[in-house]
Amino acid sequence: MEENKLPSTFEEFNDARKASFMKVKEFKDNGGRLVGFLCSYTPLEIIDAAGAASVALCGTSNETVPTAETVLPANLCPLVKSTYGFALADKCPFTYFSDMIVGETTCDGKKKMYELLNELKDVYVLHLPQGQQRAYEADAWYQDVKLFKEHLEEYYSIEITDDDLRAAVRRRNRLRQALLDLYSLQKLTPSATTGMELVSSVMASTFSFDIEAYAAQLEELVAKRRAAYDAGERPVGADRKRVLVTGCPLGGVMNKVVKTIEDNGGVVVCSDDCSGERTSSMMIDPEAPDILRAISDRYLQIHCSVMTPNDGRMENTLDMVERYHADGVIESILTACHTFNVESARMERAMEAHGVPYMRLETDYSTGDVGQVETRIAAFIETL
């Protein structure tokens, strides 16, 4: 790809996608550095400290899955296929214009897909331990985060100082606090906003070039929603059943799961996926003596099903059920996501042991099962 040139198929895109490409192109033309990522384990403060914008890659649509399946097997996670398909078809501005992409060894599907993606873009893969409890795992991850920092320094011919990292931590902490403040609106009874607005706002935070600007935007949104609530506005009916959604990333199934819940008498009061409340609540002390170690330790503690054991996730979900006054839990699992699929048995037992209604929902990005999904969600909400 010639630097900052639009893809050859640009004129075939719809107006919204053309506008996205032009926005990213303008950012790059003005000297912006752009690093794409997929996973919550990516230590974003390192990218921020390198003076680069970190953006989530497009991977939440069924549109490019057929393109991906010309190379990848069909029985693979839709997120993996969608991400690769967008890159192969040059349809994602963030993938297309990124300087590099940061991957990670979470699931086997992603790990091997990155080898193919590396043929299209520069891909740097973080080697994530499989657990969090053994001392060598934290040490190994620290060394990998350090190698990533050194890679960015060499790639951009820069030096990333501790002061750069501390400043990046403060910016990220502000954004995380803004997200937590948004989530806090859902603790109110009835909640002060819809789950669709909540999940959309969280997703948008991963596509923003300017962290502080988006944090300010969220702070303004929270203040506006809280003021309206205090003035007596109730956008969500008091009779709505309060649902906590956990499991795989919701981006590609937002309409199929979150909107369907809210179209059938429920309201999503919290999302407990990898970019949800439990991850946002994990702050970093900007004054930590070893700031790089503080960053690496924070990311390793994320409760994803790829970790074994992963007791903290069940404990955290139960805690959120109580704090958000949830009437029930729906676990949304993407087809072929084996770690979440297997772990759902433990999640179900944990919920049942505490008398929390639970439903496991396996789906993908297609529309083939929309009717079945709606029927099951509606029936579950009826039981609450």
Side-chain angles (χ1 to χ4, degrees):
M1 183 187 82
E2 292 185 48
E3 188 176 0
N4 298 347
K5 284 204 169 183
L6 293 165
S8 59
T9 53
F10 177 76
E11 292 303 328
E12 300 171 17
F13 298 160
N14 61 34
D15 290 343
R17 181 160 294 163
K18 284 182 178 180
S20 293
F21 265 92
M22 294 308 297
K23 178 183 176 182
V24 183
K25 183 179 185 303
E26 181 182 6
F27 175 79
K28 289 298 296 292
D29 286 344
N30 289 328
R33 298 169 183 163
L34 192 64
V35 176
F37 73 98
L38 277 84
C39 184
S40 294
Y41 283 109
T42 308
L44 300 178
E45 287 82 359
I46 312 292
I47 299 172
D48 299 341
S54 54
V55 286
L57 301 183
C58 306
T60 59
S61 166
N62 203 56
E63 176 188 354
T64 61
V65 167
T67 301
E69 288 179 349
T70 62
V71 179
L72 299 176
N75 60 340
L76 192 61
C77 161
L79 187 152
V80 176
K81 290 191 290 187
S82 179
T83 300
Y84 183 71
F86 270 106
L88 196 59
D90 285 336
K91 287 188 173 181
C92 176
F94 307 117
T95 307
Y96 183 82
F97 280 119
S98 63
D99 303 326
M100 73 167 77
I101 291 169
V102 183
E104 76 306 317
T105 56
T106 44
C107 76
D108 290 341
K110 272 206 252 179
K111 184 168 65 178
K112 300 307 289 185
M113 181 270 285
Y114 291 139
E115 295 177 9
L116 299 174
L117 189 59
N118 190 52
E119 297 169 1
L120 308 174
K121 297 289 298 186
D122 287 338
V123 178
Y124 184 92
V125 178
L126 294 155
H127 287 249
L128 187 72
Q130 295 186 339
Q132 303 158 319
Q133 298 180 351
R134 298 173 184 175
Y136 72 80
E137 291 169 327
D139 291 340
W141 178 237
Y142 170 75
Q143 292 299 327
D144 219 72
V145 169
K146 184 180 178 183
L147 285 173
F148 177 50
K149 169 182 170 287
E150 292 169 355
H151 178 77
L152 285 176
E153 288 177 319
E154 181 180 355
Y155 190 90
Y156 287 120
S157 299
I158 58 171
E159 179 187 3
I160 298 174
T161 67
D162 280 2
D163 285 344
D164 295 330
L165 293 171
R166 294 182 197 282
V169 164
R170 291 186 183 96
R171 290 193 295 272
R172 284 283 161 190
N173 281 350
R174 179 186 175 187
L175 177 59
R176 291 179 187 124
Q177 186 58 56
L179 289 167
L180 290 176
D181 291 342
L182 181 65
Y183 275 110
S184 72
L185 296 175
Q186 299 302 82
K187 294 178 185 177
L188 298 169
T189 307
S191 58
T193 185
T194 67
M196 280 296 286
E197 181 174 47
L198 175 73
V199 175
S200 297
S201 298
V202 173
M203 266 195 70
S205 71
T206 65
F207 293 105
S208 178
F209 296 164
D210 189 326
I211 302 165
E212 290 182 299
Y214 193 71
Q217 187 177 331
L218 281 177
E219 290 161 356
E220 184 179 346
L221 174 63
V222 171
K224 182 179 178 182
R225 292 287 178 268
R226 190 170 290 279
Y229 195 89
D230 291 343
E233 288 188 24
R234 296 293 182 268
V236 177
D239 60 339
R240 293 263 168 174
K241 299 301 181 182
R242 301 170 66 87
V243 177
L244 184 151
V245 180
T246 188
C248 294
L250 287 168
V253 293
M254 193 189 315
N255 286 324
K256 190 188 279 191
V257 177
V258 179
K259 188 174 185 299
T260 301
I261 289 170
E262 301 195 326
D263 284 346
N264 286 275
V267 57
V268 174
V269 290
C270 193
S271 63
D272 183 30
D273 62 3
C274 56
S275 60
E277 193 251 35
R278 62 185 156 92
T279 306
S280 296
S281 65
M282 300 169 65
M283 301 292 184
I284 301 171
D285 179 6
E287 305 304 326
D290 186 341
I291 189 62
L292 191 63
R293 171 70 76 164
I295 291 169
S296 70
D297 285 349
R298 181 263 179 197
Y299 281 90
L300 187 61
Q301 292 310 308
I302 291 173
H303 298 306
C304 177
S305 63
V306 299
M307 291 294 174
T308 185
N310 193 35
D311 300 337
R313 177 172 167 244
M314 271 58 75
E315 295 166 4
N316 190 79
T317 301
L318 283 167
D319 176 61
M320 286 198 298
V321 166
E322 183 175 342
R323 286 188 290 112
Y324 287 86
H325 315 293
D327 297 310
V329 170
I330 292 179
E331 182 155 22
S332 174
I333 300 169
L334 294 177
T335 304
C337 184
H338 303 310
T339 56
F340 272 105
N341 218 338
V342 173
E343 191 169 272
S344 67
R346 295 192 62 211
M347 180 63 80
E348 181 174 18
R349 288 199 296 267
M351 295 303 114
E352 288 180 349
H354 289 79
V356 180
Y358 168 93
M359 183 178 78
R360 174 184 164 280
L361 184 69
E362 184 177 351
T363 188
D364 59 16
Y365 292 172
S366 72
T367 58
D369 64 346
V370 166
Q372 180 188 30
V373 167
E374 180 162 15
T375 299
R376 290 193 60 206
I377 287 176
F380 177 73
I381 291 173
E382 280 290 322
T383 68
L384 298 180

